[in-house]
Amino acid sequence: MQFQVNNSPFSQEQVDLLNRLISTLNESQKIWLSGYLAASAAIQAPSGALGLSQPAPSGVPAVSKEVTVLYGSQSGNAQGLAKKSAKALEANGFEVTLSSMSDFKTNQLKKVQQLLIIVSTHGEGEPPDNAISFHEFLHSKRAPRLDGVSFSVLSLGDSSYELFCQTGKDFDARLEELGGTRLFERVDCDVDYDEPAAEWLQGVIQRLKEGQGGAVSAAAPSAAAETIASESAYSRTNPFQAEVLTNINLNGRGSNKETRHIELSLEGSGLNFKPGDSLGVYPHNDPALVDLLLEHTKWDPNEQVVINKQGEVRPLREALIEYFEITVLTKPLLDKLAPLAANKKVLELLEAGNEEQCKAYIHGRDLVDFVRDYGPMQGSAQDVVSQLRKIPARLYSIASSQSANPDEVHLTIGALRYEAHGRERNGVCSIFCAERLQPGDRVPVFIQHNSNFKLPEDPSTPIIMVGPGTGIAPFRSFMQEREEIGATGRSWLFFGDQHFTTDFLYQTEWQRWIKDGVLTRMDVAFSRDTEEKVYVQHRMLQHSKELFTWLQQGAAVYICGDEKRMARDVHRTLVDIIEKEGGMSREQAEEYLAAMQQNKRYQRDVY
C-alpha cells in the first residue's frame, strides 16, 4: 500500500515518511499501529463534539499480550525449559499461561492467540506420556481451525535416534495445517540443548515484542534467554562434583548380571530431590577405547584441540576421554565426517534410497568402526573432533529418599557389556561406574526433577509398583519416603529378574518392609528359575481380580524400566485386566487407563 498526496490529508514530506515506515512493518505491526491510532483518537476526541467518543474501526483486533506455553515432557527437560521460558516472558511484560499438555483443556485452544510448544520426543519418535492425549486430539478430526493463532515450537530430542525430534516436527506441521501462523521457526535441539533453546527464546521474545509494536531492546531478549542458561548453583550446566561413598555389586556370585549400588555424597551442594526424580551423571569414555581410536588415526595424543565455542583447549587424548562423544554414530554425524574420510564409498551410504543400508551400518557402531572402515581421516584431528558432540549426561532413577538419607543420593545401575561387529562393547556410563569409579573419587552430577513420576499427594492412596531389574530403583526411594512419613496407604510391588538366588535386588530391605508393614504385598517373577519364562506381567494376570479391585479403590500405578518390551507388555496387560475384570470392551478399557493417566494415577519412568 502506498500513500499519495492527492488522496490523503498529508503533506508530501509526511507521505514520504509514512511510505518509508509502512514498507518496513510486518502484518502484526500494521494491525497494532492501526489499533493504537484508533484508540488514541477515541481517547483524545472531545466528548461534546459529536456526543460520542470515536470507537476503533471494526475488524482491527488489538494484539494480545497473552501467551500460552504448553509442554510435553518425559524426564523433565521440556518442563524445565517451559518454566524458564514462562518466567522470561513474564519479565518482558507478557501474561503467560503455563500448562502441561495433559492438563490443558482442549476446548480452550480456539481462544489462544499466541501459542508456544516445548516438547520432547520419547522412544522411537513418540510423544512423551503427558503429551499423548493432546497430540492425539490435535491430529484428530476434532481439532479446530487455528487461523488466528501465532505459534512456535521448540523440540527436544537425541540425534542418535532415527526419528530425531519427531514429536516437535509433528506439532509444528499440524499447527500450520490447521491454519496457524508460524511466529518463529521451529528449533530442534540435541541432547546439549542450552544454546539453541536460548536462541529460540530470544527469537520468540523479539517477534512477540515486534507484534506489540514496542521498541525491541537488544538487551531484553538476551537477558530473557539467559534465564535458560543461568540456573541455580549446581545444575546440568554446572554439575556438582559428588564424592563416591559406596560402590558394590548387588548380584550374587554366578549371576549373568552386574548391578551396581552406588552411594554419592551431596554434602554442601544444596541439591534437593524427591522420590521419582533422576540423577544426571556425566561419564568419561573408556581410555582403552580412546587409545584404540588414536592407534587407528595416528593422531598425536598430546596435540592441543579446541573443545567448545568458548575456545577452551585440551590435549587430544584428555578431550576424547572427558569431553567428546565417540561411541555413537548418527546420520547427521556421517554427513559431517564423510567429506573427511579417504574412502569415498561412505558417500554411497548417504545417497537417496540407501536409508535402510545407512541405518543398518550406524546401528551398534562407533567412531573407531568408522575410521577403520572408511579411513584414514583427512585433515587434522581438530577437523574431526569439531564435528563431534559433547558426551551427554546419563539419567538414572534415584534409589533413595532424601528424608531417609540426608546429604546422600543412591543409584542402581546395570553394567552393560555386549559384542557387536566383531568387538567387545561397553555401556559408556554403566562401565565407567562399574569399573572406574572408586570410593573417594568424584563424579559430576545434577538433579533432574520429574513431576511426571511422583508419589500421590495423599499418603493414604494405595500404590502399585511394577519394576523388574534396575526398574526397582525409584520404588526403593518410594518405600523409604513412605516409611519416613508414616504413609498409611497400601503398597504392592511386582519385581522380576533372572534368578532368585543371585538377582533379587535389595532382598533384605523388601523383606523388612513387608515384615514392618511398610510394603503390603510383593509378587516376584524370576524368569530363568522355571522351565517356562515368567515375567512381571504374568504375575499381574495371576492376580488380576485383586489388582482391578485396587484400581477401583483409587490405587495409583507406577511402571519403571525398559520401554520397548517390558513397559509395553505391562501396559497391554493392564488393559487386559481392566477389560476382563471390569466387563468392558477393549476400547472402554483403554479409555479407563487413559483416564487414570490423565488423573496422574498411571505414571511411567521408562527408557
Side-chain angles (χ1 to χ4, degrees):
M1 178 180 70
Q2 290 284 319
F3 283 102
Q4 303 292 334
V5 173
N6 58 3
N7 65 1
S8 74
F10 304 113
S11 68
Q12 182 63 56
E13 183 180 2
Q14 289 172 320
V15 166
D16 291 341
L17 287 170
L18 282 169
N19 284 332
R20 285 202 296 274
L21 173 63
I22 292 296
S23 67
T24 67
L25 300 180
N26 60 34
E27 288 305 311
S28 296
Q29 290 172 318
K30 291 175 185 175
I31 292 170
W32 186 94
L33 183 60
S34 62
Y36 172 81
L37 291 174
S40 177
I43 291 170
Q44 296 176 16
S47 58
L50 295 173
L52 294 170
S53 62
Q54 298 298 311
S58 61
V60 181
V63 177
S64 174
K65 291 182 74 69
E66 296 178 1
V67 180
T68 297
V69 180
L70 299 182
Y71 62 84
S73 184
Q74 191 73 31
S75 64
N77 287 333
Q79 181 175 358
L81 285 174
K83 288 181 177 179
K84 291 166 189 171
S85 297
K87 184 178 178 182
L89 287 161
E90 287 171 345
N92 278 268
F94 294 96
E95 300 168 13
V96 180
T97 297
L98 174 67
S99 174
S100 72
M101 293 179 181
S102 59
D103 292 337
F104 182 71
K105 298 187 185 306
T106 53
N107 60 5
Q108 298 297 305
L109 190 57
K110 288 192 291 187
K111 301 177 183 178
V112 173
Q113 292 186 33
Q114 296 172 141
L115 174 65
L116 303 181
I117 296 283
I118 301 178
V119 66
S120 62
T121 294
H122 183 57
E124 299 297 331
E126 299 165 1
D129 284 357
N130 69 347
I132 292 173
S133 58
F134 186 71
H135 186 271
E136 290 176 349
F137 168 78
L138 206 66
H139 287 80
S140 73
K141 293 182 179 179
R142 295 182 293 120
R145 291 292 302 172
L146 301 176
D147 299 286
V149 177
S150 296
F151 71 90
S152 185
V153 176
L154 177 69
S155 56
L156 306 185
D158 183 337
S159 61
S160 64
Y161 286 86
E162 181 185 6
L163 299 175
F164 173 59
C165 285
Q166 188 60 48
T167 302
K169 294 173 183 176
D170 289 346
F171 276 120
D172 187 60
R174 183 59 173 162
L175 289 169
E176 182 179 43
E177 187 179 320
L178 291 171
T181 302
R182 200 171 278 103
L183 173 74
F184 190 78
E185 287 298 315
R186 185 189 78 248
V187 170
D188 297 333
C189 302
D190 206 344
V191 288
D192 197 18
Y193 55 74
D194 295 280
E195 286 188 16
E199 290 170 5
W200 174 82
L201 180 58
Q202 180 173 344
V204 163
I205 290 175
Q206 183 156 339
R207 290 288 174 83
L208 287 169
K209 282 189 163 248
E210 288 172 359
Q212 292 295 321
V216 180
S217 164
S222 298
E226 285 171 9
T227 308
I228 283 179
S230 62
E231 301 174 346
S232 59
Y234 294 108
S235 62
R236 196 178 69 86
T237 53
N238 181 33
F240 175 69
Q241 297 292 329
E243 182 182 355
V244 179
L245 302 175
T246 300
N247 187 347
I248 61 172
N249 184 8
L250 292 174
N251 297 97
R253 185 174 299 171
S255 175
N256 296 321
K257 295 186 171 185
E258 180 182 355
T259 309
R260 309 303 297 192
H261 172 77
I262 299 174
E263 298 180 4
L264 303 170
S265 171
L266 295 182
E267 187 175 1
S269 69
L271 292 172
N272 294 295
F273 61 88
K274 293 181 179 179
D277 288 342
S278 297
L279 189 77
V281 178
Y282 283 105
H284 289 169
N285 286 314
D286 186 346
L289 179 64
V290 169
D291 290 339
L292 183 61
L293 177 62
L294 291 171
E295 180 185 328
H296 278 285
T297 58
K298 310 301 183 188
W299 289 334
D300 177 1
N302 297 311
E303 178 184 345
Q304 299 292 307
V305 292
V306 177
I307 64 170
N308 56 29
K309 292 182 179 179
Q310 289 70 44
E312 284 185 68
V313 175
R314 299 274 182 86
L316 176 61
R317 185 174 185 273
E318 179 184 320
L320 290 171
I321 290 173
E322 298 181 6
Y323 193 84
F324 292 113
E325 181 177 66
I326 61 172
T327 57
V328 176
L329 290 181
T330 66
K331 173 63 164 56
L333 180 58
L334 283 191
D335 288 333
K336 295 174 183 177
L337 293 178
L340 298 171
N343 185 347
K344 297 307 178 184
K345 283 190 176 181
V346 66
L347 298 175
E348 296 176 7
L349 280 180
L350 304 175
E351 291 177 356
N354 286 346
E355 289 81 7
E356 288 303 313
Q357 184 181 350
C358 182
K359 181 180 174 182
Y361 178 77
I362 287 170
H363 183 70
R365 286 186 169 89
D366 59 21
L367 187 58
V368 170
D369 294 307
F370 181 85
V371 172
R372 182 189 63 189
D373 296 338
Y374 297 107
M377 303 304 292
Q378 299 173 326
S380 65
Q382 181 72 67
D383 292 333
V384 175
V385 299
S386 293
Q387 311 308 320
L388 305 178
R389 68 180 186 180
K390 182 181 175 182
I391 301 174
R394 270 59 171 182
L395 294 178
Y396 293 102
S397 302
I398 293 174
S400 59
S401 159
Q402 197 164 27
S403 301
N405 301 275
D407 292 328
E408 290 183 13
V409 62
H410 301 174
L411 300 177
T412 310
I413 300 177
L416 178 63
R417 300 180 179 88
Y418 61 100
E419 184 179 335
H421 309 295
R423 274 179 41 218
E424 294 293 327
R425 316 274 171 157
N426 294 324
V428 176
C429 195
S430 67
I431 301 305
F432 167 69
C433 292
E435 297 182 355
R436 302 194 300 281
L437 210 55
Q438 305 298 324
D441 291 345
R442 292 188 178 271
V443 59
V445 302
F446 62 93
I447 299 296
Q448 178 73 55
H449 298 292
N450 184 4
S451 63
N452 302 313
F453 199 76
K454 284 286 171 282
L455 281 166
E457 291 183 12
D458 182 355
S460 68
T461 302
I463 63 172
I464 299 170
M465 303 165 285
V466 185
T470 55
I472 200 73
F475 304 135
R476 182 175 183 264
S477 75
F478 279 19
M479 287 296 98
Q480 288 186 357
E481 181 77 7
R482 283 167 76 89
E483 183 175 33
E484 284 293 311
I485 66 175
T488 57
R490 294 175 299 160
S491 52
W492 188 351
L493 174 69
F494 289 91
F495 172 72
D497 215 312
Q498 291 188 355
H499 298 285
F500 172 83
T501 55
T502 59
D503 306 320
F504 197 161
L505 307 183
Y506 303 112
Q507 179 183 358
T508 56
E509 294 184 33
W510 297 114
Q511 289 174 334
R512 180 181 65 79
W513 280 321
I514 286 279
K515 179 183 176 182
D516 294 346
V518 178
L519 181 63
T520 309
R521 177 170 180 169
M522 183 174 190
D523 284 280
V524 295
F526 294 100
S527 59
R528 304 301 194 273
D529 284 347
T530 52
E531 194 170 315
E532 187 174 341
K533 291 180 181 178
V534 178
Y535 298 109
V536 287
Q537 62 267 27
H538 299 129
R539 295 296 186 223
M540 293 169 67
L541 281 171
Q542 287 174 1
H543 304 290
S544 64
K545 192 174 190 66
E546 188 172 356
L547 196 152
F548 182 68
T549 299
W550 279 50
L551 297 185
Q552 290 290 81
Q553 293 171 347
V557 178
Y558 299 88
I559 299 173
C560 182
D562 173 62
E563 195 260 347
K564 288 184 180 178
R565 294 183 296 275
M566 183 279 297
R568 293 184 182 183
D569 290 342
V570 169
H571 181 90
R572 281 194 294 267
T573 299
L574 281 170
V575 176
D576 290 340
I577 290 171
I578 295 166
E579 180 182 11
K580 174 189 171 186
E581 303 298 345
M584 304 179 195
S585 67
R586 192 71 179 178
E587 184 179 1
Q588 288 172 327
E590 289 172 346
E591 289 174 355
Y592 183 103
L593 196 55
M596 283 183 58
Q597 192 165 32
Q598 187 77 21
N599 295 323
K600 304 189 188 306
R601 286 182 50 216
Y602 177 42
Q603 300 182 30
R604 307 191 313 159
D605 179 11
V606 295
Y607 37 84

